[in-house]
């Protein structure tokens, strides 16, 4: 408790309020949403993506890609290489963690899911707001960079947008760009 506020209860309450507000927003925008469902139970989508297509940021993507075309292309190629190296490293670390889990169960394992309301070894408690703000910033910057690199290679970006990944109810906000 700090200043008489139990932050775990505040965290859960704010997550519930955020979820309700996101559902209300998506309901209001329902006519403009594109639903991409993955897993259905009969006709009811269980795992799905709700996408709100917009034109937000497209002019800025064009402007940056036009002004810095060659550096952006170079950045894209370097990012591809770093991405592959990162995937190899993460794969190795996951395999190494599993091996440690079975061969040395007495030591603390370094693998943890980055989900709110959990304690992460070496980091501490991950609050809902830290999680949501991080996801929002990372997804927005990441997808915007995809759009800029696509435009630098003269690939038309039809839409940008936001949405939510749902597991029965919309849970995780997301961002996207849609190249032509």
């Amino acid at each position: 408790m700090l200043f008489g506020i139990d932050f775990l209860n505040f965290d859960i309450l704010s997550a519930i309020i955020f979820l309700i507000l996101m559902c209300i927003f998506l309901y209001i925008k329902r006519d403009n949403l594109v639903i991409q469902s993955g897993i259905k139970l009969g006709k009811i989508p269980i795992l799905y993506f709700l996408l709100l297509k917009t034109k937000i940021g497209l002019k800025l993507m064009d402007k940056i890609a036009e002004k810095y075309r060659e550096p952006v292309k170079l950045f894209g190629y370097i990012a591809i290489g770093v991405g592959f190296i990162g995937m190899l490293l993460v794969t190795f670390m996951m395999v190494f963690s599993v091996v440690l889990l079975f061969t040395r169960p007495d030591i603390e394992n370094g693998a943890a899911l980055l989900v709110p309301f959990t304690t992460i070894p070496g980091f501490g408690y991950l609050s809902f707001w830290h999680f949501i703000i991080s996801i929002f910033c990372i997804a927005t910057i990441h997808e915007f960079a995809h759009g800029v690199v696509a435009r630098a290679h003269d690939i038309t970006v039809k839409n940008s947008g936001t949405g939510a990944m749902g597991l029965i109810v919309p849970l995780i906000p997301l961002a996207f760009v849609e190249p032509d």
Side-chain angles (χ1 to χ4, degrees):
M1 285 191 125
L2 182 65
F3 303 113
I5 300 171
D6 183 356
F7 281 98
L8 184 60
N9 289 338
F10 171 77
D11 215 24
I12 292 170
L13 180 63
S14 62
I16 292 168
I17 291 170
F18 179 85
L19 185 64
I20 291 169
L21 290 175
M22 192 163 67
C23 288
I24 291 170
F25 173 77
L26 292 171
Y27 180 77
I28 290 169
K29 297 290 188 178
R30 69 187 177 276
D31 293 336
N32 300 331
L33 291 175
V34 175
I35 301 172
Q36 293 183 351
S37 61
I39 300 172
K40 291 184 178 181
L41 183 61
K43 291 187 177 190
I44 301 170
I46 302 296
L47 176 66
Y48 57 90
F49 298 92
L50 297 172
L51 306 176
L52 180 61
K53 294 182 178 185
T54 69
K55 302 292 183 189
I56 296 172
L58 296 183
K59 289 181 183 178
L60 183 57
M61 288 175 203
D62 287 341
K63 185 177 178 180
I64 292 170
E66 185 178 315
K67 187 172 183 178
Y68 303 105
R69 184 168 309 278
E70 294 309 313
V72 166
K73 285 181 177 181
L74 178 63
F75 167 76
Y77 293 132
I78 291 170
I80 289 169
V82 169
F84 275 106
I85 291 169
M87 286 187 292
L88 290 171
L89 181 63
V90 167
T91 301
F92 170 77
M93 293 304 294
M94 288 175 64
V95 170
F96 183 70
S97 292
V98 169
V99 170
L100 276 181
L101 181 66
F102 288 110
T103 60
R104 300 278 315 272
D106 55 318
I107 63 172
E108 186 174 317
N109 198 341
L113 288 174
L114 293 176
V115 294
F117 314 118
T118 58
T119 301
I120 299 156
F123 177 77
Y125 178 74
L126 180 59
S127 75
F128 171 75
W129 287 110
H130 285 109
F131 174 77
I132 284 297
I133 291 168
S134 298
I135 290 291
F136 174 78
C137 292
I138 290 167
T140 302
I141 293 168
H142 177 92
E143 293 303 324
F144 184 82
H146 277 298
V148 171
V149 172
R151 291 302 303 132
H153 287 279
D154 293 321
I155 298 170
T156 304
V157 176
K158 295 191 301 187
N159 297 299
S160 65
T162 186
M165 184 194 85
L167 185 62
I168 300 175
V169 295
L171 289 174
I172 300 174
L174 55 88
F176 67 93
V177 292
E178 181 182 17
D180 190 4

